[in-house]
Amino acid sequence: MAKDRFLTQGVITKRQRNGKPVDSARKPNQKQGQKAKQSGHVTSKRHGKPNESDDSGDEVGDIENLEHRHDIDPDEMSSEDELLETAAEKRLRLAKDYISKIKESTELEADEYDAAQIDRDLVAERLMTDALERTGKWSRRIADMFAYDIDEVKHMRVLKNGHRLPVTCVALTPDGRFVYSGSKDGSLIKWQRDTGKVLKMFPGQKKKNPPPDYNRGHWDHILCIAVSSDGRYVATGGRDRRIHIWSVADDKHLAAFHQHKDAITGLVFRRGFNHLYSCSADRMVKLWNIDELAYMDTLFGHQDAIVSIDALQRESAVTTGGRDKTVRLWKIADEAQLLFRAGASTDQHRIVKTMKEAQQLDSDIGTLAAQADSEKHNETLRKLAATESSLSETSVDVVTMIDEETYVTGGDSGALSLWSIHKKKPVFIHHVAHGLYPCVGGESKQSEEDADTFHDDVNVDERIVRPRWITALAAVALTDLFFSASSDGVVRMWRMRSGKVPGFDLVNVIRVDGFINGLSVREISPNGDILASKKDIVLAVAVGQEHRLGRWEKVKVRNVVKVFHLSPSRKTLSA
């Protein structure tokens, strides 16, 4: 009986190897090979003894002599075996490593409960959260963790004795260690957040300074500031039409850009990249590569001065066009833009509709202070609904992105508008979010006694009313939490609604007097654990006596930066 080709050493096929001719005489009988298979004479490493051909011969064998590697222990896999690892096996190995890291990060929390079941729940929740974040949609619900009374002594630190004129902008570094602030005096200050100490001051320059000092600082108001996501760069823009780039580690000036033709009103870094987006009163959006300190591109479309800009991880940005009453989403890679018409109106019909929708929702949301504030807000809406007063949004001033498809805007009508990129109109509007202040006989009341006119008992129909416009917005990206501010002395904390009903609700209030010209919020990990499921919130507030873009009003406060460090509570509210 002829030998089976599967048991024969050095079988040569018809293909030539190393120039050797094919030996047709050594070709085995195919029928005999099939009989040998059926009779069970063929053995393998997995089910029997290894073939005799494994220990002899140096020639390259057939494809039939290759080993099957799917049953090899990964711990015993050699470097050569790793090269032969399939794509599916690699994905499985990386997934196991990722899950093991998540388990390590959740061990402390699991020890407080039933370890076996809770550990599985924490891992599953973390995997789902990470998957949703990659899609660019908000997924983490953290607002309820901060629905507690905020004590100024315990949670707040005042950064003072730095700026002479009103603070116009503020930015936190990604790790929350440092705070950068800009002012109308043209100075940029780097603060130590924990101690409140001034680490570095870059004073404002004189306009007629000769080189090289001419391009080492601003000689007019600083209006905006941004910090890169890797914490290496700080960018500032001002009324002098300059963008200055600074090094965080070295505390030195790196470059100055002069391409804009009017005041720089907004700056933002793309998350995960050192790409800077700038907007200006010259109606242009410009793109910069900060790693190369180079200009990239210019975007056109707005018909009026652009006053605010925001961006997340995708190669896109959202801007507000001021008095052209438009919001534009720029798809930079596609060289396209989406146009959204703003200009929200607050009239009797819309107020009544909003109040009916609010009655169907749970009113016991947030802290007691937030519930009291919401009740007073509803009382003011009822007074407005009883009159024929109408408030129109003539300028869209600020914007912040909740996720890649959702953002919030605010303007001079005092309304907060929630937008989706799939709708051309706001999906939800919260009217008169920061209240009203009256004008009797055409003169504004700006005394300290009238600082809380939003909740006074004067009849609305007996006076001329004017809303407090929204001056600052900031959001914790990809979560349900964002902040809004005005000149009413309160920073409001909002929670996005879950489910199919779009909207947001007030969960907490923070007392801060003065014009709030800027907000910056960061999530920081306790004890440096980047995989921690519960993170602290650091909120920096730029407080000034005047609005950052003008001198229409003035309040008697100190020009300072206030920083709030909030830790998540274990007790959460119902969704």
Side-chain angles (χ1 to χ4, degrees):
M1 180 177 177
K3 290 185 178 181
D4 185 16
R5 65 181 301 177
F6 291 97
L7 303 177
T8 304
Q9 169 65 27
V11 177
I12 300 178
T13 63
K14 291 185 178 181
R15 292 176 297 175
Q16 295 184 2
R17 291 189 177 93
N18 301 326
K20 295 181 180 180
V22 177
D23 187 1
S24 60
R26 297 182 62 183
K27 182 177 181 181
N29 192 325
Q30 184 175 1
K31 294 183 178 179
Q32 291 178 351
Q34 293 178 354
K35 291 181 179 179
K37 289 182 182 180
Q38 296 175 0
S39 61
H41 294 296
V42 179
T43 60
S44 63
K45 284 186 175 181
R46 184 173 183 178
H47 300 291
K49 296 181 179 180
N51 298 328
E52 296 177 358
S53 60
D54 293 338
D55 298 328
S56 62
D58 296 327
E59 296 182 7
V60 178
D62 293 317
I63 191 172
E64 292 87 345
N65 291 328
L66 294 178
E67 296 179 355
H68 297 285
R69 301 179 179 270
H70 68 276
D71 56 345
I72 298 178
D73 187 359
D75 297 332
E76 300 177 358
M77 185 180 293
S78 63
S79 60
E80 181 181 357
D81 295 332
E82 291 179 358
L83 296 177
L84 298 176
E85 185 181 26
T86 64
E89 292 172 341
K90 184 177 181 180
R91 287 195 297 268
L92 179 60
R93 177 172 55 82
L94 294 177
K96 289 181 178 179
D97 295 341
Y98 180 63
I99 292 175
S100 63
K101 292 180 180 179
I102 294 179
K103 285 184 177 180
E104 293 176 359
S105 68
T106 56
E107 283 180 357
L108 295 178
E109 298 180 8
D111 291 341
E112 302 174 1
Y113 306 96
D114 185 9
Q117 181 62 34
I118 298 300
D119 183 63
R120 290 191 293 270
D121 294 341
L122 290 172
V123 172
E125 181 181 358
R126 180 61 186 271
L127 290 173
M128 184 178 296
T129 300
D130 290 350
L132 290 174
E133 286 186 357
R134 292 190 186 96
T135 65
K137 297 181 180 180
W138 74 271
S139 56
R140 291 186 294 127
R141 303 195 63 85
I142 65 173
D144 290 340
M145 300 180 186
F146 303 94
Y148 55 82
D149 295 333
I150 297 176
D151 186 5
E152 293 185 358
V153 177
K154 180 180 179 181
H155 299 99
M156 185 183 71
R157 180 178 294 277
V158 180
L159 310 181
K160 55 186 178 180
N161 300 327
H163 297 290
R164 295 181 293 104
L165 297 180
V167 184
T168 57
C169 51
V170 66
L172 286 158
T173 54
D175 57 5
R177 293 176 55 200
F178 307 116
V179 182
Y180 284 87
S181 61
S183 171
K184 286 188 176 183
D185 58 16
S187 63
L188 172 67
I189 296 181
K190 179 182 180 181
W191 307 81
Q192 181 75 39
R193 179 183 63 84
D194 294 335
T195 62
K197 181 181 178 181
V198 176
L199 299 179
K200 183 70 175 180
M201 173 181 283
F202 304 93
Q205 304 295 317
K206 294 182 179 180
K207 185 175 181 180
K208 300 299 183 180
N209 273 359
D213 294 335
Y214 178 73
N215 286 328
R216 291 186 177 178
H218 292 276
W219 50 265
D220 208 339
H221 300 176
I222 297 179
L223 300 179
C224 50
I225 189 171
V227 181
S228 61
S229 58
D230 60 1
R232 295 171 55 193
Y233 303 107
V234 175
T236 58
R239 208 167 67 171
D240 56 0
R241 300 173 293 177
R242 302 287 191 269
I243 298 175
H244 290 276
I245 308 299
W246 315 80
S247 171
V248 174
D250 301 330
D251 292 333
K252 67 178 183 180
H253 184 268
L254 298 179
F257 301 141
H258 310 78
Q259 282 80 349
H260 276 292
K261 300 178 181 179
D262 209 332
I264 314 297
T265 55
L267 293 170
V268 64
F269 276 94
R270 181 184 173 192
R271 294 184 67 186
F273 300 87
N274 288 329
H275 294 171
L276 178 68
Y277 304 150
S278 64
C279 65
S280 170
D282 61 6
R283 301 176 293 179
M284 292 185 288
V285 176
K286 291 186 181 292
L287 284 60
W288 316 86
N289 188 334
I290 304 304
D291 286 330
E292 303 294 335
L293 297 178
Y295 161 80
M296 294 172 59
D297 199 359
T298 300
L299 308 177
F300 302 89
H302 279 288
Q303 303 301 313
D304 196 67
I306 308 174
V307 291
S308 183
I309 187 171
D310 199 14
L312 292 179
Q313 188 170 359
R314 292 181 186 174
E315 197 173 0
S316 61
V318 60
T319 57
T320 58
R323 295 193 178 277
D324 71 358
K325 295 186 289 186
T326 64
V327 183
R328 295 174 188 261
L329 178 68
W330 306 88
K331 296 184 176 181
I332 299 172
D334 300 334
E335 297 183 353
Q337 57 179 289
L338 299 179
L339 175 63
F340 304 89
R341 296 289 181 183
S345 297
T346 302
D347 53 23
Q348 185 180 27
H349 171 71
R350 290 179 174 83
I351 292 175
V352 173
K353 181 180 178 181
T354 301
M355 295 181 66
K356 288 183 178 179
E357 293 176 351
Q359 292 176 356
Q360 300 175 0
L361 301 174
D362 184 10
S363 59
D364 297 332
I365 297 177
T367 62
L368 295 178
Q371 295 177 19
D373 190 88
S374 298
E375 182 58 33
K376 294 176 182 178
H377 173 262
N378 293 333
E379 180 64 24
T380 300
L381 289 182
R382 283 190 287 268
K383 292 180 180 180
L384 281 175
T387 67
E388 297 180 358
S389 300
S390 178
L391 306 175
S392 298
E393 189 175 53
T394 59
S395 177
V396 190
D397 296 332
V398 287
V399 63
T400 186
M401 298 191 74
I402 305 297
D403 58 30
E404 299 287 2
E405 299 181 352
T406 310
Y407 56 92
V408 179
T409 61
D412 60 355
S413 69
L416 290 173
S417 301
L418 178 64
W419 300 79
S420 171
I421 64 172
H422 306 292
K423 302 287 184 179
K424 288 296 183 181
K425 294 183 179 180
V427 297
F428 178 78
I429 298 177
H430 189 88
H431 299 281
V432 200
H434 283 263
L436 307 166
Y437 51 85
C439 296
V440 179
E443 297 181 359
S444 299
K445 290 184 179 181
Q446 296 299 334
S447 63
E448 294 182 359
E449 296 178 356
D450 195 42
D452 198 21
T453 55
F454 177 46
H455 305 316
D456 57 22
D457 297 328
V458 181
N459 292 330
V460 177
D461 54 354
E462 296 178 358
R463 63 189 180 183
I464 302 173
V465 295
R466 187 160 57 94
R468 296 184 184 270
W469 65 90
I470 310 300
T471 59
L473 288 173
V476 182
L478 304 180
T479 69
D480 64 337
L481 178 62
F482 72 95
F483 300 84
S484 67
S486 182
S487 60
D488 62 336
V490 176
V491 175
R492 285 175 169 80
M493 185 187 301
W494 306 90
R495 184 193 71 176
M496 298 287 294
R497 294 174 185 170
S498 61
K500 297 181 179 180
V501 180
F504 47 83
D505 300 294
L506 184 67
V507 294
N508 209 343
V509 292
I510 305 173
R511 187 72 186 182
V512 181
D513 294 325
F515 269 97
I516 300 176
N517 292 319
L519 296 172
S520 179
V521 60
R522 294 285 188 181
E523 278 189 299
I524 60 174
S525 302
N527 303 322
D529 184 8
I530 62 175
L531 294 178
S533 59
K534 293 184 178 181
K535 299 182 180 181
D536 295 349
I537 293 292
V538 178
L539 175 68
V541 183
V543 181
Q545 298 178 350
E546 304 166 349
H547 192 277
R548 72 182 185 110
L549 298 179
R551 303 186 64 184
W552 304 290
E553 300 173 8
K554 190 172 184 178
V555 293
K556 295 181 180 179
V557 295
R558 296 191 64 179
N559 299 313
V560 297
V561 176
K562 294 186 177 182
V563 180
F564 297 86
H565 188 163
L566 308 177
S567 300
S569 63
R570 297 182 180 273
K571 182 179 179 181
T572 60
L573 303 173
S574 60

